[in-house]
Amino acid sequence: MLLLEPFGATDAGKVRRNNEDALLVGEGRDETLFAVADGIGGFEAGEEASRIAIEVLNELEPGSPFQEAVREANRRILAAGRGDERLSGMGTTVVAVRFGGTTERPVAEVAHVGDSRAYLLRGGSLRPVTEDHSLVAELVRSGDLTRAQAADHPQKNLITRALGAEEEVEVDTAVLPVEAGDRILLCSDGLTDMVSEDGISEILAESAGDPEGAARRLLSAALDAGGTDNVTVVVVDVKEHVAPPGEERSGTRELPTVAPPRGAPGGAPPGQTSGQSSVRTPTRARKGEARGVSAPPAVATRRKRRPRRLGALGKFVRGLAAVLVVVVALTPVYLWGGSRYFFGFEDGEVVAYRGLPYAPLGVELNEEWRRTGVEESDVKGPYRDPIDDHKLYTREQAERVLGDLGN
Ligand code: MN
C-alpha cells in the first residue's frame, strides 16, 4: 500500500499584489485530490475564477468522474461571469491529480485545461505529464518552435483553452501508473516561466523525500528569478506505507492525520516579505469518517505530525488568502484564442472575427464570425478606432457592439 505526503505553497510573487492562483492540497472530500488553478481576468475576476474551480474540485466525491467536475467548474465560472459584469470574461487554468486504482496497480489520474502543468519525477528524471493548451505549445507540436524557443517566446502566456471561456470545455486526461518513490509536481506558469525544467528537476532531486522542502525551494527559486507572476506549487510524494505493528490491517485506508506546516503561513522563503506567501497542508482531519468507496483504496495520505493544533492555523491560512485578494489596477489579462472577438474592415464592410487578430509564424488565430453588412462610412465615430485597432471583446461585448455599430 502506498501513502501520499503532499505539500503545497503559493505566493503572489514580487510584482503582482494579488494572487490569482488557487490550490487544493488534499483537503477536499477526496483527500487524494490535489490541484492548482491560475485565474485569468482583471481586478478580482481571476481570483474568483480559480477559487470556483478549486471549490468544485473540493466537493468532488471520491470515485466520481473527474472530467465532469472540471466541466462543472467551467459552467459555474461562466454562470458567475454572466451574473456579474465585473466578472465577465474571467477564466482559469486548472491541473489536478487524483490517486487511486488498486493495491496492485495504483494510478494517478491527471486532468488539465490551460498551461498549469503536472510533472512526474521518477528515478531522478522529470517528465512532463501535461501538454500546455497554449499558442506556443501548438507551435511546438506543429514543429514551428522548439521547446526551448517556446520557453522564451513573448506570447508564451497566451493560452488556447481555459475554464470560463466556452460553454463546453475539452479536458485532457491521463492515467499514470505510480509507484513508491514517485513525486508529482503540479504548478502554475509562475514557476515554469521563471525556472527552467532543468532547474526544477535539480531542486526536486535535491529535496528527495521532503515535499515541504521541495515546495518551498521551488517557490524561492521562482521568486529569486524575478517572481513576475503568482507562483503555486504542489508536491506530492508517493511513499511505501509501512504500518507500525497492530496499527491497521491491510485493505483499510490509513486515516490521515493533519497538522500545519512548521512556522506560520507567513513563514515565507528567505528574502520574502512575510504575509505574501501561504503554505498549505490539508486543513481538516477526517478521523473515523466512513468512506463510500467499495474497493479498498490503494493509496492513503499522511501528513506530517506537528505539535501545533490545526484548527486555528487552518483558519489563519484562509484568513490570509482573503487578505491576499487585493485589487490592483494593472493586472495582466491573458487572452485565449476561441473566446475573444474583434472587428475589422474588409472591402469597406465591418466584419466580426472570433479569435486573435494576428497570425504568428503564419498560424491563423481567428476565423470570420459575422458579416455585419455595415459599411465603413456608416460606422459610428466611437467605434472607428477600436475596429482599426482590432480591439478585443468578450462575446457579450461583441454582440453589444454589433447591435450598436451603425448609424
Ligand atoms: Mn500565472
Side-chain angles (χ1 to χ4, degrees), residues 3 241-249 252-255 302 305:
L3 177 121
H241 181 228
V242 185
E247 191 200 72
E248 60 188 296
R249 267 177 282 279
T252 59
R253 182 190 193 94
E254 186 190 2
L255 293 168
R302 180 182 67 190
R305 240 174 254 275

Side-chain angles (χ1 to χ4, degrees), residues 21 38 189-190 229-230 334:
D21 287 359
D38 180 351
D189 62 348
D229 192 7
N230 308 144
Y334 295 10

Side-chain angles (χ1 to χ4, degrees), residues 106-402:
V107 296
E109 239 184 305
V110 177
H112 90 289
V113 172
D115 66 354
S116 296
R117 297 182 185 172
Y119 288 94
L120 168 68
L121 185 83
R122 176 179 291 171
S125 75
L126 186 70
R127 314 176 199 177
V129 175
T130 50
E131 281 192 348
D132 291 352
H133 303 134
S134 70
L135 169 63
V136 294
E138 302 288 346
L139 296 175
V140 170
R141 282 192 280 277
S142 66
D144 289 298
L145 285 183
T146 65
R147 216 174 151 86
Q149 287 171 322
D152 290 329
H153 198 277
Q155 264 90 43
K156 66 185 172 187
N157 289 328
L158 203 61
I159 60 176
T160 51
R161 235 190 264 179
L163 301 187
E166 299 286 333
E167 290 299 324
E168 288 302 326
V169 66
E170 202 185 326
V171 184
D172 281 6
T173 55
V175 177
L176 311 171
V178 288
E179 56 193 44
D182 284 352
R183 170 174 271 186
I184 299 272
L185 166 69
L186 305 181
C187 59
S188 63
D189 62 348
L191 175 71
T192 48
D193 283 352
M194 291 288 132
V195 185
S196 68
E197 289 183 337
D198 285 348
I200 292 171
S201 180
E202 207 170 293
I203 291 171
L204 290 175
E206 284 168 5
S207 56
D210 176 14
E212 173 174 354
R216 288 184 183 276
R217 289 182 59 190
L218 289 170
L219 209 66
S220 298
L223 296 171
D224 291 347
T228 55
D229 192 7
N230 308 144
V231 194
T232 303
V233 299
V234 174
V235 176
V236 187
D237 279 356
V238 180
K239 297 187 170 180
E240 195 69 62
H241 181 228
V242 185
E247 191 200 72
E248 60 188 296
R249 267 177 282 279
S250 79
T252 59
R253 182 190 193 94
E254 186 190 2
L255 293 168
T257 48
V258 183
R262 193 170 35 236
Q272 182 56 31
T273 323
S274 170
Q276 288 242 317
S277 274
S278 67
V279 292
R280 187 93 56 86
T281 51
T283 51
R284 203 162 66 240
R286 306 175 69 86
K287 247 183 164 50
E289 184 171 318
R291 312 202 70 83
V293 195
S294 51
V299 180
T301 55
R302 180 182 67 190
R303 289 102 198 189
K304 289 178 197 160
R305 240 174 254 275
R306 291 278 161 76
R308 200 120 62 100
R309 280 304 303 155
L310 114 99
L313 189 68
K315 283 196 194 94
F316 179 40
V317 172
R318 293 215 180 96
L320 188 78
V323 170
L324 287 172
V325 180
V326 178
V327 179
V328 256
L330 289 171
T331 307
V333 177
Y334 295 10
L335 309 167
W336 55 90
S339 64
R340 294 284 159 162
Y341 297 80
F342 65 97
F343 297 86
F345 295 115
E346 206 178 292
D347 301 329
E349 183 191 349
V350 181
V351 177
Y353 302 87
R354 187 179 123 123
L356 294 168
Y358 56 97
L361 303 172
V363 179
E364 278 296 336
L365 292 178
N366 58 67
E367 59 189 7
E368 189 177 304
W369 179 50
R370 304 259 173 90
R371 298 201 78 89
T372 63
V374 176
E375 296 289 321
E376 187 168 350
S377 52
D378 290 336
V379 171
K380 286 183 189 170
Y383 291 112
R384 284 176 191 278
D385 282 349
I387 293 171
D388 270 333
D389 299 341
H390 302 317
K391 179 176 158 47
L392 291 166
Y393 298 96
T394 64
R395 186 181 173 127
E396 286 76 14
Q397 290 166 337
E399 303 263 14
R400 237 173 286 147
V401 172
L402 274 175

